[in-house]
Amino acid sequence: MAGRARGTSAGLDRARIAAAAVTLVDRDGLERFGVRRLADELGVDPMSIYHHVKGKAALLDALSEAVLGEIAPGGADDGDGDWQGVARDLAHAYRDLAFRHPHVFPLLATRAQTSPAAISALESLVAAMRRAGLPDRVVADAPMVLFGFLNGHLLARTTEGPAAVPAFDARTHPTMAALVPRWADFGSAAELDRMLDAVLAGLAQQAAAPGTA
């Protein structure tokens, strides 16, 4: 590091910087993440990073894009009209990503995601819905509905863990206490599927409603 000329690219590119950023956040968390720490991780002067990524916000976008790139494209060319299968595969891929990168995931849930990786995932969903003949109003709403649910659901499960279900006092909250066994699978893939059923059924019901265009 001491011998590195300030501003020298040092063989860096955006992909290498983003990959190192993901590794750093996975290990130490977002709170400790910064350009100087990333430069130390790469063994370069901080100006070498700014040569490729213009500022902290752009660096967070590159980090998010690198993680979203782990979602394999799929479903866009399937001609069977199974849009719910495409949505379910996408939801589980997103869940797997969230559990692999729990410290990165808040970025995905709280920042606008407009990278090619993000748009490709959405394209697979809306294209499948259109092929199935769903009205454009429902198709246009679907990404917001699906990822609004997924982001809230997964933020709670990747930041809290199983202990997030409290032991309710049956004397003061008897109904909540009676429901605790129903939350035994908190954070599981089965729980996601059960709640996803409700989301997808709602979209299907909206698509079938009279007057939906």
Side-chain angles (χ1 to χ4, degrees):
M1 174 103 179
R4 183 73 65 195
R6 187 175 186 182
T8 301
S9 64
L12 296 180
D13 57 27
R14 190 174 185 271
R16 183 183 167 201
I17 291 168
V22 172
T23 297
L24 192 60
V25 174
D26 280 345
R27 188 181 69 214
D28 299 334
L30 271 173
E31 297 79 6
R32 299 184 62 194
F33 179 70
V35 175
R36 188 166 297 278
R37 285 179 55 79
L38 179 58
D40 289 343
E41 182 81 6
L42 289 164
V44 300
D45 187 279
M47 290 305 298
S48 298
I49 293 174
Y50 288 126
H51 180 73
H52 298 277
V53 183
K54 307 302 182 184
K56 178 73 175 290
L59 183 56
L60 294 178
D61 288 340
L63 194 161
S64 300
E65 183 177 0
V67 168
L68 285 170
E70 296 177 12
I71 296 179
D77 297 323
D78 295 339
D80 58 4
D82 183 19
W83 67 270
Q84 294 197 33
V86 173
R88 196 173 298 278
D89 288 347
L90 181 56
H92 277 276
Y94 196 59
R95 176 186 181 273
D96 292 344
L97 181 155
F99 278 94
R100 281 197 305 274
H101 305 286
H103 296 307
V104 177
F105 185 73
L107 287 178
L108 308 185
T110 59
R111 293 174 65 84
Q113 302 300 325
T114 58
S115 68
I119 301 305
S120 293
L122 296 182
E123 176 69 17
S124 69
L125 172 63
V126 297
M129 295 181 78
R130 263 195 155 189
R131 285 196 305 275
L134 273 68
D136 274 358
R137 176 70 276 161
V138 177
V139 175
D141 287 343
M144 310 301 177
V145 172
L146 178 62
F147 281 91
F149 157 67
L150 288 173
N151 285 333
H153 177 86
L154 293 169
L155 275 175
R157 280 135 188 88
T158 55
T159 58
E160 298 293 343
V165 180
F168 296 102
D169 188 332
R171 295 168 299 178
T172 55
H173 302 99
T175 308
M176 293 293 287
L179 290 173
V180 166
R182 297 291 184 179
W183 295 317
D185 62 351
F186 184 90
S188 68
E191 181 201 41
L192 175 67
D193 269 325
R194 188 172 63 250
M195 294 183 178
L196 192 58
D197 284 343
V199 173
L200 299 182
L203 289 169
Q205 183 177 19
Q206 184 182 6
T212 301

